[in-house]
Amino acid sequence: MENKRRRLEEAFARYMPLIEEPQAFWQCVFEPLQPCLWVNPLKTTLEAFHAYCREHGILLEPISWYPGAFRVPGLERPGATLPFVAGWYYVQEEIAMAAVVALDPQPGERIVDLCAAPGGKTAQIALRVRPNGMVVANEAAMERLSGLRTTVDRLGLLNVVVTWGDGRRLPLPEGVWDRVLVDAPCTGEGTVRKMKQGWRPVHREFRQYCSALQRALLRRALQLVKPGGIVVYSTCTFAPEENELVLDAVLGDYGVVEPFSVAGLRSAPGIRQWMGKELRSDVVNACRFWPHLNNTGGFFLARIRRTDVPMPPLGKVSCPGRAPLQPAQRLDGIAWLCERFGLEPELFAAYRYWMRGREKLWMAIPEVEPPVELPPESVGIALLSYKREHVKPKTFALQLFGKSIRRNVVELPEEQAAIRFVSGQSQNVLTDVEPGFVHVRYREFELGCGLYARGQLHSQIPRSLHTMIADHAGV
Ligand SMILES: C[S@@+](CC[C@H](N)C(=O)[O-])C[C@H]1O[C@@H](n2cnc3c(N)ncnc32)[C@H](O)[C@@H]1O
């Protein structure tokens, strides 16, 4: 602890002249962060969530400036509960929610999230642009794509296209998007309260690398957004080199930082001077959220309005050699789903279906147009897969339609059975369902796909969720 304190004091000494109440800052950074979450209206209601928390003795402190979001002190592993698996909520650092408040997405808009994994802000945006808007959620790190995909699936977001590409050179049409979010990779100083294993000082070279990357990402966002559209630039670091200096270097005549504030959220203005360098005047409209101001992590954001000054285009860029997703020709799997689970075919009429190759069928709202220039990883959520003549339903699709399913449902009798199921284990069950794929429910939780054979229920819950609940403490 002494070491951590000393290292932090050295690393953050340069910020002390910027902080009005340094003592409050120091007191705050050594306290752990409280977990926060927001409730997903696509999978549950606030009433049902409150009822669950009351029953389980979970204290909820509403976050005044973000309707439907709560601090959950005492809930140590919010990712290890049945409502989490059922997609009832998303766990997100409180202050990170502010970036989408600044972006202010509107219904029907088409928005790019340039650095999207693991997808918290993508999900916030997707919910706000409903019923007919869409989000392109892009991520450069292949190993982080599955986390992003799981967020989209678990929350049931039918208006998100996931792409894999370098945000600096993303081959999307320029000047047409309503809003673009650049939640940039950074040195992460603002996450200091999360770091259990101690604080490592940021190397100068890494800071320089981040700063160059951030400039290129912001430049690309300004190329993509339409004139008059909004770009939000955010980081979870304090460093002016990654914040105001990035704005100063890139904005030129192409964008103006607008004032942004939310009632109930305190922030410090962007700074006009750093290390003897004078910066453009509108950077004062940016917001720096020191941890002690709202008892959160640290964060920086700027809400930028694009002017109509043309930017030099990026020019021709190549994209990864992914085969494009095509409108699905084979829809017999939907008829099978309706028959097997007693679902009304009309439920599926409102969507469009996409396939790559012959295996997986994706389902999205009709307004989603996958970009042709950048073949996406996914469009909406996976509904089912075909294995020769067999159809396998996907867990998250069954969750989404769960309340309408009337046939071949296994209702688990007790919580331990539900925990076994979502942990990926097989178990004996007493049921009169037909052998084959079933939908599994525990009380009000639509849990997803199982395979029932010879008295045994085999879990088909994706592996990505098993670890979250495996040592579930009985929440
Ligand atoms: C701060 S995180 C994004 C968090 C995310 N917006 C959320 O709310 O869940 C930054 C992300 O940018 C990704 N990244 C790094 N370099 C990138 C690049 N050149 N283009 C796009 N994404 C990049 C990182 O892998 C990381 O997932």
Side-chain angles (χ1 to χ4, degrees), residues 66 96-105 120-122 124-125 128 181:
Y66 200 100
M97 298 176 197
V100 174
V101 180
L103 190 68
D104 195 22
K121 298 180 190 77
T122 293
Q124 289 176 277
I125 300 168
R128 285 177 182 234
L181 176 64

Side-chain angles (χ1 to χ4, degrees), residues 179-225:
R179 297 168 204 256
V180 180
L181 176 64
V182 185
D183 188 34
C186 67
T187 54
E189 293 166 335
T191 63
V192 56
R193 295 178 68 185
K194 279 198 217 160
M195 298 205 174
K196 294 202 177 82
Q197 73 281 42
W199 170 254
R200 289 188 211 302
V202 176
H203 285 294
R204 215 169 114 227
E205 292 74 23
F206 183 51
R207 174 105 67 216
Q208 282 167 350
Y209 165 79
C210 286
S211 169
L213 179 58
Q214 291 153 350
R215 288 172 196 214
L217 288 166
L218 178 56
R219 204 167 291 123
R220 187 63 187 141
L222 291 167
Q223 283 165 334
L224 294 177
V225 78

Side-chain angles (χ1 to χ4, degrees), residues 90 92 96 113-122 124 138-144 148 165-170 181-186 209 213 217 234-236:
Y90 186 83
Q92 190 172 28
D113 184 354
L114 216 50
C115 309
K121 298 180 190 77
T122 293
Q124 289 176 277
N138 178 71
E139 170 60 44
M142 177 166 254
E143 68 280 8
R144 289 172 65 86
L148 175 57
D166 185 338
R168 292 172 289 190
R169 293 183 284 276
L170 209 61
L181 176 64
V182 185
D183 188 34
C186 67
Y209 165 79
L213 179 58
L217 288 166
S234 59
T235 71
C236 56

Side-chain angles (χ1 to χ4, degrees), residues 150-297:
T150 301
T151 298
V152 172
D153 274 342
R154 189 177 63 84
L155 300 183
L157 303 172
L158 295 170
N159 57 351
V160 176
V161 172
V162 172
T163 60
W164 173 46
D166 185 338
R168 292 172 289 190
R169 293 183 284 276
L170 209 61
L172 290 177
E174 297 180 359
V176 300
W177 301 89
D178 294 301
R179 297 168 204 256
V180 180
L181 176 64
V182 185
D183 188 34
C186 67
T187 54
E189 293 166 335
T191 63
V192 56
R193 295 178 68 185
K194 279 198 217 160
M195 298 205 174
K196 294 202 177 82
Q197 73 281 42
W199 170 254
R200 289 188 211 302
V202 176
H203 285 294
R204 215 169 114 227
E205 292 74 23
F206 183 51
R207 174 105 67 216
Q208 282 167 350
Y209 165 79
C210 286
S211 169
L213 179 58
Q214 291 153 350
R215 288 172 196 214
L217 288 166
L218 178 56
R219 204 167 291 123
R220 187 63 187 141
L222 291 167
Q223 283 165 334
L224 294 177
V225 78
K226 67 184 186 189
I230 296 289
V231 171
V232 164
Y233 175 80
S234 59
T235 71
C236 56
T237 207
F238 305 127
E241 295 86 343
E242 300 178 63
N243 294 320
E244 288 91 339
L245 270 72
V246 172
L247 302 175
D248 188 70
V250 176
L251 290 187
D253 296 333
Y254 308 122
V256 175
V257 184
E258 289 188 342
F260 166 72
S261 64
V262 192
L265 195 59
R266 293 173 66 204
S267 64
I271 56 167
R272 284 287 314 276
Q273 250 194 1
W274 182 246
M275 305 281 175
K277 184 173 163 46
E278 288 285 332
L279 307 175
R280 54 188 279 151
S281 58
D282 59 347
V283 294
V284 291
N285 290 330
C287 301
R288 187 174 271 94
F289 299 96
W290 298 109
H292 60 288
L293 295 181
N294 306 284
N295 188 15
T296 62

